[in-house]
């Protein structure tokens, strides 16, 4: 089994990089990638753990980008010492903190009396991602689940109007390539584009240096998987497979390697082809 999209406590996941590697091994995964949001901080730790436990590990990152709705670019094979990505993380952290503070204000006005201290307490000191805020809202009883907290408070027009500045997709791809990695479009279904507009965006991504599409994804339908695979083939792109595991508090229905209700297990993922073509690109 393979899983090329997983999050640790270095971004908004629940498990430390070491725990995540242990969990991947226990889940029967042979090749895993750590793809924390906007950071490579967990890579060295995960890589060391993977070496100890004998699992094949690919260093990664996921960069939230502008130029589309929930447009996330995965980077594989990036160096954990890359200065460009380290500097990007530092800059971006400032934006995330400022966004969190704007957002706390908005929530307070909406009658949810959440504070920075609450968010830190609920998340063991972590506080800058939407899932951290969502978990806090749930723990304070203002929503029944993280998903509900997102729908009610964190995916609203008011939220998006307060969102942080993000690098444009071409900048994200450039940062990944400069760090020695290759860029893959994450969970394309979140773009919510029809085929015509998706093709237009895809061509722009390819011109910017995109190498692949995450065709096999926990929440893709069979039709979406087939469509994205066909279009990847048409444009000579590689395809990848990822669960987007964050831990059961954040995404209760997603399991490492298996996806959502075994969606990845049932998708007939061509694991060997995916890993061979990916490794060929990042070597
Ligand atoms: P941020 O980068 O802080 O804006 O947060 C984006 C994160 O929120 C990504 O990890 C998404 O996977 C996560 N996310 C988006 N929608 C939901 C949801 N309904 N339930 C749980 N996590 C979500
Ligand atoms: Fe996340
Ligand atoms: Fe994502
Ligand atoms: Zn992700």
């Amino acid at each position: 089994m393979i899983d090329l999209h997983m999050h640790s406590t270095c971004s908004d996941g629940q498990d430390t990089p070491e725990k995540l590697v242990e969990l991947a091994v226990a889940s029967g995964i042979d090749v895993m990638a750590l793809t924390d949001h906007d950071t490579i901080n967990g890579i060295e730790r995960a890589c060391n753990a993977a070496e100890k436990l004998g699992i094949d590990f690919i260093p990664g990152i996921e960069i939230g980008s502008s130029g589309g709705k929930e447009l996330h670019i995965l980077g594989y094979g990036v160096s954990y010492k890359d200065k460009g990505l380290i500097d990007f993380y530092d800059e971006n952290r400032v934006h995330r903190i400022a966004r969190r503070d704007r957002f706390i204000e908005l929530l307070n006005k909406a009658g949810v009396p959440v504070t920075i201290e609450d968010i830190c307490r609920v998340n063991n000191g972590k506080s800058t991602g939407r899932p951290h805020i969502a978990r806090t809202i749930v723990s304070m009883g203002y929503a029944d689940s993280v998903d509900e907290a997102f729908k009610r408070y964190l995916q609203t027009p008011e939220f998006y109007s307060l969102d942080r500045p993000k690098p444009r997709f071409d900048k994200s791809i450039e940062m990944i390539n400069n760090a020695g990695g290759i860029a893959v479009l994450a969970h394309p279904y979140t773009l919510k584009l029809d085929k015509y507009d998706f093709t237009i965006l895809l061509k722009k991504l390819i011109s910017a240096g995109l190498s692949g599409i995450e065709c096999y994804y926990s929440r893709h339908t069979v039709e979406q998987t087939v469509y994205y695979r066909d279009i990847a083939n048409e444009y000579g792109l590689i395809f990848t497979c990822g669960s987007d595991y964050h831990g059961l508090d954040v995404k209760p229905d997603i399991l490492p390697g298996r996806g959502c209700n075994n969606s990845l297990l049932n998708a007939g993922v061509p694991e060997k082809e995916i890993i061979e073509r990916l490794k060929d690109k990042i070597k």
Side-chain angles (χ1 to χ4, degrees), residues 39-58:
T39 183
I40 49 177
N41 287 348
I43 290 180
E44 195 177 7
R45 288 168 61 186
C47 191
N48 289 338
E51 213 162 280
K52 270 193 208 131
L53 296 179
I55 178 174
D56 198 350
F57 177 79
I58 295 173

Side-chain angles (χ1 to χ4, degrees), residues 12 37 96 99 129-131 146-147 150 155 246 250-251:
D12 56 357
H37 298 285
R96 275 189 174 277
R99 176 188 73 164
R130 267 186 290 171
V146 165
D147 194 49
F150 261 88
Q155 284 170 335
H246 281 67
V250 183
K251 299 192 180 185

Side-chain angles (χ1 to χ4, degrees), residues 139-202:
S139 87
M140 293 171 73
Y142 288 87
D144 290 335
S145 66
V146 165
D147 194 49
E148 195 196 320
F150 261 88
K151 294 212 168 84
R152 267 171 70 178
Y153 303 107
L154 302 168
Q155 284 170 335
T156 62
E158 291 82 5
F159 168 80
Y160 284 112
S161 74
L162 297 181
D163 206 356
R164 64 194 162 86
K166 292 178 186 142
R168 247 184 81 88
F169 57 77
D170 41 2
K171 171 82 179 137
S172 303
I173 294 172
E174 187 186 290
M175 286 192 288
I176 290 165
N177 290 339
N178 287 344
I182 63 141
V184 172
L185 174 63
H187 44 66
Y189 90 106
T190 59
L191 292 163
K192 297 208 162 65
L193 294 176
D194 61 25
K195 291 184 179 180
Y196 180 80
D197 287 328
F198 179 70
T199 307
I200 291 176
L201 177 62
L202 186 64

Side-chain angles (χ1 to χ4, degrees), residues 17-84:
E18 291 83 3
K19 271 263 166 233
L20 193 68
V21 173
E22 269 175 43
L23 186 65
V25 172
S27 305
I29 292 168
D30 319 289
V31 189
M32 71 171 286
L34 176 66
T35 54
D36 272 316
H37 298 285
D38 312 317
T39 183
I40 49 177
N41 287 348
I43 290 180
E44 195 177 7
R45 288 168 61 186
C47 191
N48 289 338
E51 213 162 280
K52 270 193 208 131
L53 296 179
I55 178 174
D56 198 350
F57 177 79
I58 295 173
I61 189 169
E62 180 178 23
I63 305 182
S65 309
S66 66
K69 199 170 180 317
E70 301 293 342
L71 171 47
H72 297 181
I73 308 283
L74 294 159
Y76 291 112
V78 291
S79 160
Y80 72 94
K81 288 184 179 159
D82 182 70
K83 173 110 175 44

Side-chain angles (χ1 to χ4, degrees), residues 74-108:
L74 294 159
Y76 291 112
V78 291
S79 160
Y80 72 94
K81 288 184 179 159
D82 182 70
K83 173 110 175 44
L85 289 180
I86 293 169
D87 288 349
F88 166 68
Y89 171 74
D90 290 338
E91 267 167 47
N92 194 51
R93 215 183 124 67
V94 175
H95 294 314
R96 275 189 174 277
I97 290 170
R99 176 188 73 164
R100 177 201 65 192
D101 295 347
R102 287 194 293 279
F103 207 59
I104 289 176
E105 216 172 291
L106 183 77
L107 281 167
N108 291 169

